[in-house]
Amino acid sequence: MTILSRDEKRQNFIFKNLGANVPQCRKLAADASSRTYWRICLPEDKTLILLDDESGRNKCDMFVKLSNLLCESGVRAPKVVAADLQDHFLLLEDFGDGTFTRLLNTQNEKELYSLGTEALVKISKINKFPTDIGQLDAKRIVSDIMFLLNDYYPLVFSKPAPTALKERFEQIVKRLLPMAFLVPNGLVLWDYHVDNLMMLENGDCGVLDFQDALVGPLSYDIMSLVEDARREVSPEVAAEMKEKFYRSLTGVSQEDFEASFKFMSMFRHMRVLGRFADLYVKSGKDRYLAFMPHVWKMLEKTLEFPPFSEMRAFVDEVFAPKIRPLVPKRAVNQAFLLAAGRGVRMAHLTDNCPKPLVKVGSKALIDYNFEKLARINIKQVTVNVCYLGEQIKAHLQNLQGFNLQISEETEALETGGGIKKALPMLKNEPILVLNSDTFWLEKEGVSSLEKLVAAWDEEKFDIVLLLQPLDKIVGDAGIGNYKIVNGHPQRNVAAKTEGFPYLFTGASIVHPKVFADAPDGKFSLRDLFDKAEAQGRLGYTTGEGVLFHVGTPKALDLAEKYLQASE
């Protein structure tokens, strides 16, 4: 059976539905999702949009159902020309390039927001929904508002939010939660803002990006429209649109509508801060960081609502006002796990098992690495594989919480060659590099990798090493391979047995520029360490806790015994 590439599947879908005479297919700019879009140019200046959801996570089936429902209700949504729900392709009516975002200026702001509000009034009248549509209920609200502490907090403070803090926050949210449901439920498109609204040729408002729609409080979408995370809406226009939408409702008091609107405002802004943090940490989409100060400004205004006094006090306690205007971009935001080698010194233990999957205690070696990365909130991870690589890929396929890439090698390229081969997959930013045969036991609140990241200074260093004192190593320590001379690490080139009190842990931060003159094929990172040392561009920090260096069966046995004794 022939396995087709994604490009081949896409071409087959186009051919099946449009034939062979498609003169041009042009990729369009990406959005916050994992979808890709293509504009297909047809004869007589006609065009269609191809939606490609390779991940299969973007609910193409729901898009089809909701497109039909919206069109039947008099709302202009792209008509679905053809669909392949097995391979996740859609062929859609092309609404052009006239997003409200592109067209907005101070002269037409009221006109465009009025069109968006009028379309939203039509949507609010829909009273039938797909049976499998999601619910914006209490459970979903509590889950999503926790993005603030689960994703934004670790980005700002470089550590997970304490469990007790999250529990306090959740209890405050639950006490305020009834306010959300003081308005009727209806169809909530979820991402209703000017990026997803189009000016059509006949002057109608077209609606995009609704596959994540839910049934929930009708206050949500109007709030999302006038309190846009990406742009500031004039207060006069925002107030007028809010009032226009309120007047379209029946049986809802102004007081109840205001309370529900305010709760949804708090909910969305907290959720969006976490969502933008997640897009940056997992996917490297740093453009979303620039919106955070604006989101904070709107959240601060919302928290002035008197019933939110307890939540306002909590937010002031946890997120000091002075940090809110800051854009929390990190010095290091990607990692590379070296997992391609066989681990020859492990003897029979790696005959049928790749070294990263050898267990110490109850977990594979590579799992300890991912735990350490999660602790410092680095979620963009590339793993190179070669020897028994399919086993490693299978082990990692259900890994949650990381944006994982696999770099496959037909022959193991050693530590330097493996990274150089994968450079096209990586961002041109510092890389946290980890060997898979080392891990640490650390005291609560102390992280060796956190110290390593803190030591990175691009103006001073091209590479920074994590070194461990020999007396804090369990396992295959051998002789020391570094000492510190005048504040800089110096390698034990002559393999002296004394005078070098540190061992390189296998953890380092490396800037991609050091590979510019490196050879293709096999080579060791050590060569680049030596070059940086000679240029005075090699930095270091020392590890905390106890390092386990598991390179031989004997070292593995020592580590097992140490773990058992420490339990």
Side-chain angles (χ1 to χ4, degrees), residues 62-280:
M62 184 58 68
F63 186 99
V64 174
K65 295 174 185 177
L66 290 171
S67 172
N68 293 333
L69 176 61
L70 290 167
C71 290
E72 290 170 2
S73 305
V75 180
R76 287 300 310 275
K79 294 177 181 176
V80 179
V81 177
D84 179 346
L85 299 182
Q86 180 176 340
D87 283 327
H88 313 291
F89 292 112
L90 297 178
L91 201 56
L92 306 173
E93 177 184 6
D94 188 357
F95 277 178
D97 296 317
T99 65
F100 281 18
T101 300
R102 292 181 179 178
L103 299 175
L104 270 166
N105 56 52
T106 54
Q107 284 72 44
N108 67 10
E109 183 184 41
K110 180 177 176 179
E111 174 193 354
L112 293 182
Y113 273 92
S114 291
L115 285 172
T117 303
E118 288 161 8
L120 193 55
V121 169
K122 289 182 182 179
I123 294 166
S124 72
K125 305 304 181 187
I126 296 173
N127 57 15
K128 62 175 184 178
F129 317 108
T131 56
D132 54 344
I133 195 169
Q135 301 291 316
L136 184 57
D137 54 15
K139 182 178 179 181
R140 175 65 184 269
I141 289 172
V142 171
S143 173
D144 279 18
I145 204 170
M146 292 302 297
F147 291 177
L148 180 71
L149 293 186
N150 289 337
D151 297 292
Y152 180 76
Y153 183 103
L155 174 60
V156 173
F157 298 111
S158 298
K159 60 183 179 181
T163 300
L165 190 71
K166 292 197 284 189
E167 289 173 350
R168 275 181 58 204
F169 178 65
E170 183 175 332
Q171 292 306 310
I172 297 172
V173 171
K174 287 181 175 178
R175 284 193 283 275
L176 298 172
L177 194 53
M179 297 169 61
F181 302 101
L182 294 173
V183 300
N185 274 1
L187 185 63
V188 174
L189 294 198
W190 191 241
D191 280 318
Y192 199 83
H193 50 75
V194 291
D195 279 0
N196 291 329
L197 300 179
M198 306 287 293
M199 173 66 81
L200 305 184
E201 289 184 356
N202 66 353
D204 284 349
C205 172
V207 178
L208 306 176
D209 201 13
F210 42 76
Q211 64 284 333
D212 293 320
L214 305 161
V215 173
L218 287 172
S219 54
Y220 184 86
D221 276 348
I222 184 63
M223 179 280 308
S224 175
L225 178 65
V226 301
E227 295 194 7
D228 195 322
R230 296 168 176 82
R231 71 179 303 272
E232 188 165 353
V233 183
S234 69
E236 297 79 15
V237 169
E240 186 173 339
M241 298 308 117
K242 181 178 170 184
E243 180 65 20
K244 175 185 282 194
F245 184 80
Y246 167 68
R247 289 199 307 268
S248 74
L249 301 176
T250 57
V252 181
S253 71
Q254 184 91 47
E255 183 181 8
D256 284 351
F257 177 76
E258 183 67 15
S260 180
F261 185 98
K262 289 291 189 183
F263 182 90
M264 287 304 182
S265 172
M266 177 187 72
F267 163 61
R268 180 172 172 80
H269 299 328
M270 289 180 171
R271 179 188 184 278
V272 164
L273 284 169
R275 176 67 176 141
F276 284 175
D278 184 63
L279 284 168
Y280 169 59

Side-chain angles (χ1 to χ4, degrees), residues 54 142 182 210 220 252 289 296 337 355 416 466 488 539 555 562:
E54 184 175 5
V142 171
L182 294 173
F210 42 76
Y220 184 86
V252 181
L289 299 178
W296 264 116
L337 298 190
K355 185 178 180 182
L466 179 64
H488 294 278
Y562 190 98

Side-chain angles (χ1 to χ4, degrees), residues 334 382 405-408 421-427:
Q334 61 181 344
T382 303
Q405 301 183 108
I406 301 293
S407 176
E408 300 191 57
K421 175 185 178 295
L423 285 180
M425 303 171 69
L426 302 168
K427 293 185 176 296

Side-chain angles (χ1 to χ4, degrees), residues 211-430:
Q211 64 284 333
D212 293 320
L214 305 161
V215 173
L218 287 172
S219 54
Y220 184 86
D221 276 348
I222 184 63
M223 179 280 308
S224 175
L225 178 65
V226 301
E227 295 194 7
D228 195 322
R230 296 168 176 82
R231 71 179 303 272
E232 188 165 353
V233 183
S234 69
E236 297 79 15
V237 169
E240 186 173 339
M241 298 308 117
K242 181 178 170 184
E243 180 65 20
K244 175 185 282 194
F245 184 80
Y246 167 68
R247 289 199 307 268
S248 74
L249 301 176
T250 57
V252 181
S253 71
Q254 184 91 47
E255 183 181 8
D256 284 351
F257 177 76
E258 183 67 15
S260 180
F261 185 98
K262 289 291 189 183
F263 182 90
M264 287 304 182
S265 172
M266 177 187 72
F267 163 61
R268 180 172 172 80
H269 299 328
M270 289 180 171
R271 179 188 184 278
V272 164
L273 284 169
R275 176 67 176 141
F276 284 175
D278 184 63
L279 284 168
Y280 169 59
V281 171
K282 285 187 183 175
S283 303
K285 296 181 178 181
D286 55 4
R287 65 184 181 275
Y288 291 98
L289 299 178
F291 301 128
M292 286 181 173
H294 171 59
V295 176
W296 264 116
K297 181 179 176 182
M298 291 189 295
L299 178 58
E300 288 171 345
K301 184 172 180 60
T302 295
L303 292 177
E304 293 173 2
F305 189 49
F308 292 166
S309 59
E310 184 183 15
M311 179 63 82
R312 183 171 65 251
F314 175 89
V315 169
D316 287 344
E317 173 193 335
V318 177
F319 303 102
K322 66 180 180 181
I323 72 170
R324 299 172 193 172
L326 305 178
V327 176
K329 189 167 185 179
R330 302 157 57 133
V332 182
N333 199 40
Q334 61 181 344
F336 194 97
L337 298 190
L338 293 159
R342 173 167 180 165
V344 175
R345 293 187 304 150
M346 294 292 277
H348 65 283
L349 294 177
T350 54
D351 285 346
N352 300 299
C353 176
K355 185 178 180 182
L357 299 189
V358 170
K359 286 193 172 182
V360 180
S362 60
K363 289 176 283 194
L365 281 166
I366 199 168
D367 294 340
Y368 289 97
N369 285 290
F370 279 103
E371 286 182 358
K372 292 292 185 283
L373 291 174
R375 185 172 173 181
I376 62 169
N377 201 37
I378 289 183
K379 304 295 181 68
Q380 296 179 71
V381 184
T382 303
V383 180
N384 70 331
V385 298
C386 183
Y387 178 68
L388 299 178
E390 292 301 319
Q391 290 188 35
I392 298 174
K393 289 163 62 178
H395 181 80
L396 297 177
Q397 68 180 356
N398 295 319
L399 184 71
Q400 300 294 315
F402 291 88
N403 182 8
L404 184 66
Q405 301 183 108
I406 301 293
S407 176
E408 300 191 57
E409 301 171 13
T410 54
E411 64 170 340
L413 298 175
E414 299 186 24
T415 53
I419 298 175
K420 182 170 183 181
K421 175 185 178 295
L423 285 180
M425 303 171 69
L426 302 168
K427 293 185 176 296
N428 188 31
E429 298 173 356

